[in-house]
Amino acid sequence: MRFLLDAEQRAFADSLDAMLTAADTPSVVRDWSRGDHGGGRALWSRIAKAGVFALAVPEAYEGMGPRPVELAVGFIELGRHAVPGPLVETVAAAALLAELADPLPAGRLLPSLASGEASATLALDGAYALDGDAATTRLALAADGLRLAPGHGPVRASLDPARHLTPLSPGGELLSTAPPVAHALGWARLATAAQALGVGLALLDRTVAYVKQRTQFGVPVGSFQAVKHRLADAKIALEFARPLLFGAALTMAPADVAAAKVTACEAAYVTARTALQLHGAIGYTAEYDLSLWLAKARALRTAWGTPAECRAEVLSGGDRRW
Amino acid sequence: MDLTLSPADEAFRAEARTWLAAHVPQTPLRSLETEEGFAAHRVWEAELAADRWSVVSWPEVYGGRGAGIVRWLVFEEEYYAAGAPGRVGQNGINLLAPTLFDHGTEEQRARILPSMATGEVVWAQAWSEPEAGSDLASLTSRAVRTNGGWLLSGQKTWSSRAAFADRAFGLFRSEPDTPRPHQGLTYLMFDLRAPGVTVRPIGRLDGRPAFAEVFLDEVFVPDEDVIGEPGGGWRVAMSTAGNERGLTLRSPGRFLAASDRLVALWRGRADPSDTALRDRVADAVIGARAYQLFTYAHASRFLDGATMGPESSLNKVFWSEYDIALHETALDLLGPDGESADTDWSEGYVFSLAGPIYAGTNEIQRDIIAERLLGLPKGRR
């Protein structure tokens, strides 16, 4: 029992952090929000080169996975830098394809997802797919099975401008009549939880820095107890979401993953509310970078399982396993 | 990163489980906040100690098993899963004993720990005073030098378990004219039945005498009952405080077992359409797991040589608020039956309400988190 990241896992996080810091990710996010995907695709390729997507792809298909702990480590960093795109959806698609009874679609599609040449989005029965306008592989789970969608419908705006909600076109090649949806959902929830935790950590860091330098009544607002206590509560929420995330990555049990998802997303959302309040009006503006994380915290909260769905999952499995 | 126990740790778990299954009282003991319940819990402590289960983490020479932190956590999980009684000796075992291990003398450890392990001597904490709660350093009870020891005078209050306990430990002002209030304090142990001591039980919310006021009138304490250096008591006390807020006072095993009981209650009682209540039950399950895993991560850091720092404040706020939410959910599930004062849930509820107040109020803990973990400036309270 050694429930800590090892040196290699920490180094992986640090190198992703350094790369994403140097890449001026906020300007990539703003371009992506306007539908200009060039910078995002270039960043995607670098993230893939760092190995992030390969962690969800089995070695048999030119990946390095499945390695959920390392994937969680990577997705925390993607969240911390508000990286745009169908990140979670690509992971979910990889998990889904890797477990199909027929190995041919996996052989055809997975190597390019692992290498970052392709990105994927995935829509459950009639729901919107994230960034179907940018993803190169569009998977639709329809009544008759898993289909490779031929295109997408009109783009709808999300509360997070960096997320484009796209219905997928009906029809297309039928890949499987019995896709392992629950398996893919587990990976999607794990990656979302990690991304949300990263979003929350970034919001906390930025807000702590802000309240140290913003002065009112002649002192930093961070010296006021009301401000301190809100930030302390955000810190507590995030620090108790972290072990749930890694515990879930180790077991991949649906109840554990659901617990991590709801807890990380609620922690990120509470932190977003705190961050907005403590920044005051500047936090409420689109031009200030904080908005990139604020909007994402709200969107991730209901992506891949609402809080109520996740809580129901926690109680659905009978007695606890730990 | 892994969560699997070694075969030896699993064997330890199996041994604990077997012993507990054979020994845990069939009928729950009366509340340890009553005189009869207190006595019954002492008997249970002796039974635990007879097979060296009362203080598994201590060295064998003092009655323990020399178990590391992982096995201590495993034992606690088994202990509460088995429905075993609350620990009447916890103030001594969790607060005084770690202090003696860190700051006591070999003579003190040999004299004090064995009788603590068996429940023969039950200890109370005597820190707070009427004007010194969160601002503990403002305490005014005095320790005055005398031949071969000290004379204690003053008043302590909110002293947990002191209504029925045997001895107490606390801080006293031994140098009244120091420039700073944290200086000139001495950490002393005293007998609650010594001449000059008056103990007045205080009823808590439900009327049970869970704590007491302690009046001291020139109570003699020999030199060998000073822990650490005279005048250096603050540093000694703060190491105890870290333990209190940290993982020893509320082990995850207790909450895992309680959340299991809550789920069973929910399955037996709940209206399936009440999704709000269902969500609260789920949050109780999630919170117990979060606390368990958070503690495992901490334990792993300790094994790497880390010590308890301001992170213990995260712990304290979490478990104290979690404990209340868990019990409130249970009482709401019980509906009007939740009002009954003689259930484990109501006893636990009343106990939980004190959590955000003792061991340093949660307001103080949030200040510590903000200033020491987040680096925010000290300022107006």
Side-chain angles (χ1 to χ4, degrees):
Chain A
M1 209 282 296
R2 190 173 185 282
F3 190 54
L4 284 181
L5 295 176
D6 62 30
E8 199 177 332
Q9 290 161 337
R10 292 197 306 272
F12 175 53
D14 290 346
S15 69
L16 267 177
D17 180 37
M19 187 267 279
L20 294 167
T21 302
D24 186 17
T25 308
S27 67
V28 174
V29 181
R30 292 183 190 286
D31 289 347
W32 188 275
S33 301
R34 287 193 300 271
D36 172 358
H37 298 136
R41 288 220 170 87
L43 189 59
W44 189 280
S45 171
R46 296 177 68 184
I47 291 166
K49 275 205 182 66
V52 172
F53 301 112
L55 295 167
V57 175
E59 290 180 19
Y61 302 108
E62 300 176 29
M64 302 188 297
R67 293 171 70 173
V69 172
E70 285 77 11
L71 186 97
V73 169
F75 267 71
I76 291 173
E77 296 309 315
L78 301 184
R80 281 185 59 213
H81 291 274
V83 173
L87 302 158
V88 169
E89 291 66 25
T90 294
V91 165
L96 188 63
L97 292 166
E99 294 289 314
L100 295 181
D102 174 6
L104 290 178
R108 208 170 87 211
L109 298 167
L110 281 180
S112 58
L113 291 183
S115 70
E117 284 159 59
S119 59
T121 192
L122 175 64
L124 303 181
D125 301 304
Y128 290 104
L130 180 66
D131 295 327
D133 56 333
T136 53
T137 302
R138 289 177 282 266
L139 297 173
L141 282 157
D144 60 346
L146 177 65
R147 286 183 178 275
L148 204 51
H152 66 87
V155 174
R156 265 181 79 159
S158 156
L159 281 173
D160 175 4
R163 288 166 65 91
H164 295 160
L165 308 177
T166 48
L168 297 185
S169 309
E173 182 188 346
L174 186 67
L175 298 178
S176 166
T177 54
V181 179
H183 175 75
L185 188 61
W187 280 77
R189 286 182 174 171
L190 183 80
T192 306
Q195 190 182 9
L197 179 60
V199 166
L201 293 170
L203 285 162
L204 179 63
D205 283 350
R206 288 175 163 264
T207 308
V208 165
Y210 182 78
V211 301
K212 282 187 200 173
Q213 55 92 11
R214 166 72 172 163
T215 60
Q216 290 283 271
F217 308 103
V219 293
V221 298
S223 65
F224 295 119
Q225 199 173 42
V227 170
K228 284 181 183 172
H229 286 194
R230 285 197 72 159
L231 288 167
D233 283 337
K235 173 78 174 166
I236 293 165
L238 293 166
E239 290 304 326
F240 279 86
R242 191 196 303 267
L244 282 174
L245 171 68
F246 288 112
L250 286 169
T251 71
M252 286 306 275
D256 289 353
V257 175
K261 202 280 172 183
V262 63
T263 307
C265 287
E266 295 301 86
Y269 187 62
V270 163
T271 306
R273 291 288 317 281
T274 294
L276 175 56
Q277 182 66 26
L278 299 188
H279 276 80
I282 188 69
Y284 193 69
T285 61
E287 69 185 45
Y288 192 68
D289 279 350
L290 191 77
S291 67
L292 309 180
W293 287 270
L294 291 177
K296 204 171 298 298
R298 175 67 231 185
L300 293 178
R301 190 167 183 237
T302 44
W304 297 107
T306 63
E309 286 166 346
C310 291
R311 289 184 171 112
E313 176 69 52
V314 167
L315 292 176
S316 71
D319 293 338
R320 70 177 161 91
R321 301 148 307 285
W322 52 77
Chain B
M1 163 168 273
D2 79 272
L3 285 170
T4 50
L5 294 176
S6 69
D9 291 342
E10 289 289 5
F12 175 85
R13 183 192 287 282
E15 188 188 353
R17 183 175 295 182
T18 303
W19 189 90
L20 288 161
H23 289 83
V24 168
Q26 299 289 310
T27 313
L29 306 184
R30 284 207 62 188
S31 165
L32 60 81
E33 315 297 5
T34 63
E35 193 164 5
E36 312 91 281
F38 201 90
H41 279 77
R42 270 192 208 257
V43 173
W44 167 245
E45 291 289 323
E47 191 171 348
L48 278 171
D51 288 321
R52 292 189 301 121
W53 291 110
S54 70
V55 286
V56 295
S57 63
W58 291 9
E60 293 186 20
V61 63
Y62 304 123
R65 289 175 174 251
I69 190 164
V70 171
R71 287 195 193 174
W72 177 76
L73 287 164
V74 165
F75 175 74
E76 291 279 305
E77 288 176 15
E78 293 301 321
Y79 186 88
Y80 287 104
R87 301 294 303 274
V88 71
Q90 68 169 12
N91 287 97
I93 291 168
N94 294 333
L95 303 177
L96 179 58
T99 307
L100 289 172
F101 284 124
D102 288 350
H103 302 280
T105 64
E106 189 47 53
E107 183 278 325
Q108 287 172 329
R109 290 191 279 267
R111 174 161 54 91
I112 292 163
L113 295 176
S115 61
M116 183 193 290
T118 59
E120 186 190 339
V121 175
V122 176
W123 290 80
Q125 189 190 50
W127 283 25
S128 295
E129 298 184 4
E131 299 301 327
S134 292
D135 182 12
L136 183 64
S138 70
L139 62 87
T140 58
S141 288
R142 303 179 306 283
V144 178
R145 260 262 168 247
T146 187
N147 196 17
W150 303 79
L151 292 173
L152 308 184
S153 297
Q155 180 188 353
K156 297 287 181 178
T157 192
W158 319 128
S159 181
S160 295
R161 310 279 126 73
F164 308 118
D166 307 294
R167 304 199 73 200
F169 52 95
L171 280 177
F172 293 83
R173 194 162 294 287
S174 51
E175 297 161 33
D177 299 319
T178 56
R180 298 187 61 229
H182 304 81
Q183 297 168 346
L185 301 172
T186 296
Y187 200 120
L188 289 138
M189 300 176 281
F190 61 94
D191 199 326
L192 283 165
R193 297 192 189 95
V197 178
T198 306
V199 176
R200 191 182 76 81
I202 305 171
R204 64 175 184 186
L205 282 181
D206 63 355
R208 285 180 173 152
F211 42 26
E213 287 177 294
V214 180
F215 299 91
L216 301 134
D217 182 14
E218 302 209 325
V219 176
F220 176 76
V221 172
D223 279 325
E224 58 259 34
D225 280 347
V226 173
I227 305 177
E229 291 300 312
W234 185 257
R235 191 174 64 89
V236 176
M238 286 306 102
S239 76
T240 307
N243 282 308
E244 185 173 25
R245 288 165 205 155
L247 51 86
T248 55
L249 190 59
R250 288 289 168 276
S251 70
R254 181 190 192 106
F255 294 131
L256 289 166
S259 74
D260 280 350
R261 287 170 50 227
L262 183 72
V263 172
L265 184 69
W266 172 71
R267 291 201 199 285
R269 286 234 179 194
D271 166 6
S273 68
D274 190 342
T275 53
L277 207 44
R278 181 203 66 194
D279 284 356
R280 290 165 63 196
V281 174
D283 281 343
V285 173
I286 294 169
R289 177 66 163 167
Y291 188 54
Q292 179 194 33
L293 293 172
F294 182 90
T295 306
Y296 283 171
H298 253 300
S300 300
R301 267 181 230 119
F302 289 149
L303 293 172
D304 284 358
T307 51
M308 184 66 89
E311 296 78 18
S312 64
S313 295
L314 297 170
N315 235 44
K316 200 268 168 168
V317 177
F318 184 87
W319 64 247
S320 60
E321 297 195 343
Y322 171 82
D323 202 15
I324 293 177
L326 171 87
H327 284 89
E328 282 176 336
T329 304
L331 294 196
D332 286 350
L333 271 167
L334 288 166
D337 293 344
E339 188 189 334
S340 170
D342 287 322
T343 68
D344 284 352
W345 287 118
S346 56
E347 169 75 23
Y349 171 70
V350 174
F351 184 61
S352 76
L353 289 178
I357 301 167
Y358 64 75
T361 63
N362 284 11
E363 286 70 25
I364 295 286
Q365 304 312 317
R366 287 185 170 94
D367 282 349
I368 293 171
I369 292 165
E371 291 168 12
R372 296 182 57 195
L373 294 179
L374 299 176
L376 294 175
K378 284 185 178 287
R380 306 178 189 184
R381 294 290 180 213

